Amino acid sequence: MGKLKGMWENKWIRYSVIVIIAIIIGFGSGNSSAKEELEGQKLTAEELLAEIDELEKEKDNLNDDIQELEKEISKKEKDLEDVKAENEEVLALVDNKNQLEKDVDNAKSELDSIQSDIDSANSNLGDIQDRIAKASGTLQKLDKKPIKLSAGQYFVGQDFPSGRYKAQGSSNFFVYDSGGSNIVNTILGGGSVGRGDYVFFAEDGYYVESSAPVTLVPVQ
């Protein structure tokens, strides 16, 4: 006992014992901390695995959602193509309608131009007819050859042209209009019964009757 007490009083021995005890205590404490740390890491790993599983499930769900969205996009793209095709048809119809309207407007414009040409042609035709009539009248005036008729009946416009005449002769002389009404009833020639020459108008459809030869001289 005294020997042990003497050894304990040796500071180097005492110091060594204290160090060994401290090491033992530290080792025990270290094992406890390491165990707690490992248990904490194990718990954390399990939580991470669980979280990973949840994330995998979410990823699968997102993949499903993405596939659905891709299908919806494909459908929308097809719908869009159909709408574009319909729009192109509508635009084509609109272009055709616009072209038809332009063609109609052009046709109307051409029709108006043609109608204007027709009106102008009719006006020119009227002028030409007037000029022809005047020329014919002038020609008749220039060609004042007497018309000699034997006794009988003659139609104006068939046997001789219409116009203003002076009847010369010595006979009974009659002129009837187209309705048969007597408009001239005279005796041509001199003498006691004759009344001399007679000037009258003869229009187409009239007819002249003379009981003896008569001469018709055109006059103005």
Side-chain angles (χ1 to χ4, degrees), residues 206-218:
Y206 286 17
Y207 71 94
V208 174
E209 182 179 351
S210 178
S211 59
V214 65
T215 300
L216 303 180
V217 179

Side-chain angles (χ1 to χ4, degrees), residues 86-102:
E86 291 177 359
N87 288 338
E88 289 176 355
E89 292 178 359
V90 170
L91 290 174
L93 291 175
V94 170
D95 290 339
N96 290 335
K97 177 177 176 292
N98 292 335
Q99 185 61 44
L100 288 174
E101 289 178 349
K102 290 181 181 178

Side-chain angles (χ1 to χ4, degrees), residues 30-215:
N31 283 342
S32 177
S33 297
K35 182 178 180 181
E36 290 178 359
E37 184 178 354
L38 288 174
E39 288 178 354
Q41 290 178 354
K42 180 179 179 181
L43 180 60
T44 302
E46 289 177 353
E47 290 176 352
L48 288 174
L49 290 174
E51 185 175 355
I52 289 171
D53 290 338
E54 291 296 326
L55 292 174
E56 289 289 341
K57 290 179 181 180
E58 290 182 10
K59 184 184 76 171
D60 293 338
N61 292 333
L62 288 174
N63 286 331
D64 292 339
D65 293 340
I66 290 171
Q67 290 178 357
E68 291 296 326
L69 289 173
E70 288 177 346
K71 290 180 181 179
E72 187 69 20
I73 289 172
S74 298
K75 183 176 180 300
K76 294 297 182 182
E77 288 177 346
K78 184 177 181 303
D79 293 340
L80 180 60
E81 292 297 327
D82 294 338
V83 170
K84 286 182 179 179
E86 291 177 359
N87 288 338
E88 289 176 355
E89 292 178 359
V90 170
L91 290 174
L93 291 175
V94 170
D95 290 339
N96 290 335
K97 177 177 176 292
N98 292 335
Q99 185 61 44
L100 288 174
E101 289 178 349
K102 290 181 181 178
D103 293 340
V104 170
D105 291 338
N106 291 335
K108 287 181 178 179
S109 178
E110 291 177 359
L111 181 61
D112 292 340
S113 178
I114 292 171
Q115 186 62 48
S116 177
D117 292 341
I118 290 173
D119 294 339
S120 178
N122 286 330
S123 178
N124 292 335
L125 180 60
D127 292 340
I128 290 172
Q129 288 176 339
D130 290 340
R131 292 169 62 186
I132 290 173
K134 290 179 180 179
S136 298
T138 302
L139 181 61
Q140 288 180 357
K141 292 178 181 178
L142 292 175
D143 187 16
K144 295 183 178 180
K145 293 181 180 180
I147 300 171
K148 294 184 178 182
L149 301 176
S150 300
Q153 294 179 339
Y154 300 91
F155 283 96
V156 180
Q158 295 181 8
D159 299 317
F160 63 92
S162 61
R164 188 166 180 259
Y165 294 95
K166 180 172 69 172
Q168 298 175 340
S170 56
S171 65
N172 293 326
F173 186 77
F174 306 95
V175 178
Y176 300 90
D177 64 15
S178 58
S181 298
N182 179 247
I183 58 175
V184 176
N185 183 356
T186 188
I187 299 174
L188 301 176
S192 59
V193 295
R195 299 176 183 174
D197 299 339
Y198 189 86
V199 177
F200 67 99
F201 288 95
E203 297 182 6
D204 289 346
Y206 286 17
Y207 71 94
V208 174
E209 182 179 351
S210 178
S211 59
V214 65
T215 300

